[in-house]
Amino acid sequence: MLTHTPDLVGYGSKPTREYLVDASLRDQINNSLRSYEEAKNYAPHQVFIGNMKPEDLWQIEQPWYLNLQNDASRYGPWGEIMPQDEFYGYLKIVDEFDLVFLTAEFTGPVREKLSNHKLYSADDDKRLGAGVTKELIEEKIKTGALPLYNQGSLAGCIQDGHDEDENLKAHILLENLSCKATGVLAVRNVLHSLQIDPASIDYAMNSGEEGVGDRYQRGAGNLAKAMVEMSGCINSSGSDIKAFCCGPVHTMVLAGSLVQSQIFENVVAIGGGCLAKLGMKMRGHLSNSMPILEDVMAAFAVIIGPDDGVNPQIRLDVIGKHDVGAGSSQQAIYESLVKKPLDKMGLTIPQIDKYSTELHNPEITEPAGSGNVPKNNYRMIGGLAVMQGQLPREELDQFEKIHGMPGYSPTQGHIPSALPYLGHACKSIMDGEITRSMFVGKGSLFLAKMTNMSDGVSFIIEKNSAKQ
């Protein structure tokens, strides 16, 4: 799921902080925002929802933001790119505590658009309501509510959830509701596309990075259960899994384990979108006369179920993990996450057809001085193969092209962490193009000032071993 939200870029953590010291920044950002059509036709976004393969990006001249696809589709095999006005509608729909208010003038046209959406229900329509007067919105903004703009016009607002609790201020609640709404849309999309009964989902895990809670229990909330509640999963419970960027890979391993042990039959792993990271690299984009490319929130949902004899299998017997005593050098991390599990399988590094690492879009990161993250990761894995005598040194430069892919994911921490390739990998395995793929997630635990350690987990999916 991708939601194009250019008018929320200013509410990202970095723009919000820097507005206080640079009065001109707001206008600079507003003058550098993309239209929905530009975001929809952006090749990395089309890869994200499955209309293009990651390898197709090798053939498209960069910068990709100047070489847009012609009339690209909003919908893909496993997702969509939703425009901002419809997303605002879903912010209201998933709001259980009357925090979000939309004007009647805005709500009418949005209702008409959403009524044609495959995921929109009669209950959604009731929750959306008819909207309120613009005057009421303006009064709420005067008393501290956060305005919501759409293409420069006032569309609504979100108010505080508590007068005295900093954790329930409007800005934090907008982050939390954005994560919830994108997660709900991702769950609904995967249930709809696979024609799975929502009532068959037993458990949900959300790996989003939002710390949902109040002043007495910051981060202790449960967005996963809130997401499946809004997705018709009446027989599901859930919990949130926190491990910074590595959270999604932890979640996949835990979900597979719950199914393998027959505790639950069907588990959905979710990653809701992260509003705080909108505009995170905007200084690099502005200084290079680029559009603000961090103008979308991404989300995913994956259903893990019992072996059906057809779909790819998770190899739970060869999980890679970065132990406390492993050391924090890049070589030590990759030996733990890549070499050790492959040694256990009796495979060499080049015998994995495709590696999915941190798939940050380099067009976002390089102008900000963060480098090409996937390229560097593939260089490390290939270099490890050379050190182990598994790859001739002269083939190192081709390792990325053969066993990797260009980065194409929005840079929202947990979102690029390997899983964006999962749909592509499953299809490639089912189509007989590859046999197995390894997903390598890493996390920066030191960001919380509790430890200096890094983190990492990996898992492998492969062709189903069933004979029929």
Side-chain angles (χ1 to χ4, degrees):
M1 185 73 202
L2 290 172
T3 57
H4 181 237
T5 52
D7 285 301
L8 296 184
V9 169
Y11 291 146
S13 178
K14 192 176 183 81
T16 297
R17 285 179 285 123
E18 298 206 5
Y19 282 163
L20 300 176
V21 296
D22 186 350
S24 68
L25 183 58
R26 193 183 302 273
D27 286 340
Q28 293 180 57
I29 289 177
N30 288 338
N31 292 332
S32 301
L33 295 174
R34 291 186 292 186
S35 68
Y36 173 71
E37 286 298 313
E38 289 172 323
K40 176 176 66 68
N41 293 338
Y42 186 51
H45 293 170
Q46 288 296 310
V47 173
F48 195 88
I49 63 171
N51 283 332
M52 298 169 59
K53 292 183 176 182
E55 295 83 0
D56 293 341
L57 293 174
W58 298 125
Q59 311 304 322
I60 300 176
E61 184 180 353
Q62 287 189 269
W64 295 320
Y65 64 84
L66 290 180
N67 293 283
L68 300 176
Q69 304 303 291
N70 294 322
D71 299 320
S73 175
R74 163 179 173 168
Y75 298 99
W78 44 77
E80 66 172 293
I81 306 171
M82 178 174 275
Q84 179 174 267
D85 55 350
E86 294 181 37
F87 175 69
Y88 281 176
Y90 269 98
L91 275 182
K92 176 63 179 174
I93 289 165
V94 305
D95 171 26
E96 295 275 5
F97 290 89
D98 292 327
L99 302 167
V100 175
F101 294 84
L102 300 175
T103 67
E105 294 85 352
F106 177 81
T107 302
V110 167
R111 168 177 280 107
E112 186 173 346
K113 289 181 67 176
L114 286 175
S115 64
N116 296 315
H117 196 286
K118 62 185 178 182
L119 304 179
Y120 191 68
S121 67
D123 190 49
D124 289 344
D125 195 69
K126 182 179 178 181
R127 286 175 172 274
L128 180 61
V132 299
T133 64
K134 187 175 181 180
E135 289 71 25
L136 177 62
I137 300 287
E138 291 171 341
E139 283 300 313
K140 289 185 175 294
I141 293 171
K142 288 179 183 177
T143 57
L146 204 63
L148 297 174
Y149 294 99
N150 186 58
Q151 297 182 350
S153 298
L154 184 65
C157 69
I158 179 169
Q159 64 184 14
D160 293 345
H162 194 281
D163 292 338
E164 300 174 352
D165 192 340
E166 289 294 324
N167 299 282
L168 297 175
K169 292 297 184 183
H171 193 282
I172 301 298
L173 291 171
L174 179 58
E175 291 181 0
N176 297 343
L177 275 176
S178 295
C179 183
K180 179 183 177 182
T182 52
V184 166
L185 289 164
V187 173
R188 289 187 181 186
N189 259 299
V190 73
L191 291 169
H192 182 272
S193 65
L194 297 178
Q195 291 298 293
I196 290 177
D197 181 3
S200 70
I201 301 298
D202 302 300
Y203 203 73
M205 296 179 178
N206 168 51
S207 60
E209 296 176 302
E210 281 63 29
V212 181
D214 63 9
R215 55 186 165 177
Y216 297 116
Q217 42 201 2
R218 294 187 294 272
N222 190 336
L223 267 175
K225 196 166 185 178
M227 290 169 177
V228 291
E229 175 194 18
M230 298 292 300
S231 305
C233 304
I234 58 173
N235 294 317
S236 180
S237 185
S239 60
D240 290 351
I241 307 298
K242 299 298 182 186
F244 279 107
C245 303
C246 201
V249 185
H250 280 285
T251 303
M252 287 293 295
V253 172
L254 293 170
S257 302
L258 288 170
V259 174
Q260 177 85 352
S261 62
Q262 299 183 347
I263 294 174
F264 299 121
E265 185 171 0
N266 292 301
V267 178
V268 58
I270 314 165
C274 185
L275 182 144
K277 292 182 179 176
L278 292 182
M280 184 169 58
K281 309 288 187 185
M282 48 100 185
R283 285 292 188 186
H285 300 166
L286 293 174
S287 64
N288 285 277
S289 301
M290 295 169 55
I292 302 294
L293 298 180
E294 292 168 309
D295 58 353
V296 296
M297 283 185 284
F300 64 82
V302 182
I303 294 175
I304 302 94
D307 184 15
D308 60 2
V310 178
N311 279 284
Q313 298 168 309
I314 302 177
R315 286 291 300 267
L316 293 174
D317 57 330
V318 285
I319 299 300
K321 62 187 177 74
H322 182 244
D323 299 331
V324 169
S328 58
S329 70
Q330 288 297 304
Q331 181 178 333
I333 291 172
Y334 280 107
E335 284 183 352
S336 297
L337 302 184
V338 177
K339 182 179 181 297
K340 282 188 177 181
L342 291 182
D343 285 348
K344 191 173 181 180
M345 293 179 71
L347 296 177
T348 65
I349 290 173
Q351 285 180 297
I352 292 291
D353 298 304
K354 284 290 183 179
Y355 288 90
S356 182
T357 63
E358 300 159 292
L359 294 175
H360 298 77
N361 179 352
E363 205 153 82
I364 296 174
T365 57
E366 286 184 316
S370 302
N372 187 325
V373 178
K375 186 181 185 69
N376 293 338
N377 284 334
Y378 292 125
R379 191 80 181 178
M380 287 296 302
I381 297 172
L384 183 59
V386 172
M387 290 176 59
Q388 297 297 316
Q390 300 174 1
L391 183 74
R393 183 173 296 275
E394 58 269 20
E395 294 181 16
L396 178 58
D397 290 340
Q398 291 300 310
F399 187 86
E400 178 190 12
K401 286 284 183 74
I402 297 171
H403 298 283
M405 65 204 75
Y408 57 88
S409 174
T411 52
Q412 292 174 44
H414 60 296
I415 296 295
S417 190
L419 288 201
Y421 181 62
L422 191 57
H424 294 283
C426 287
K427 185 176 188 303
S428 293
I429 290 173
M430 299 282 280
D431 291 346
E433 296 173 353
I434 65 174
T435 300
R436 58 179 64 92
S437 179
M438 176 179 274
F439 294 78
V440 182
K442 296 190 296 179
S444 304
L445 301 186
F446 48 82
L447 293 173
K449 309 301 182 186
M450 294 292 110
T451 176
N452 282 312
M453 288 191 298
S454 296
D455 189 25
V457 178
S458 66
F459 67 89
I460 292 170
I461 67 168
E462 63 183 15
K463 181 180 178 180
N464 199 292
S465 58
K467 294 181 180 178
Q468 292 185 346

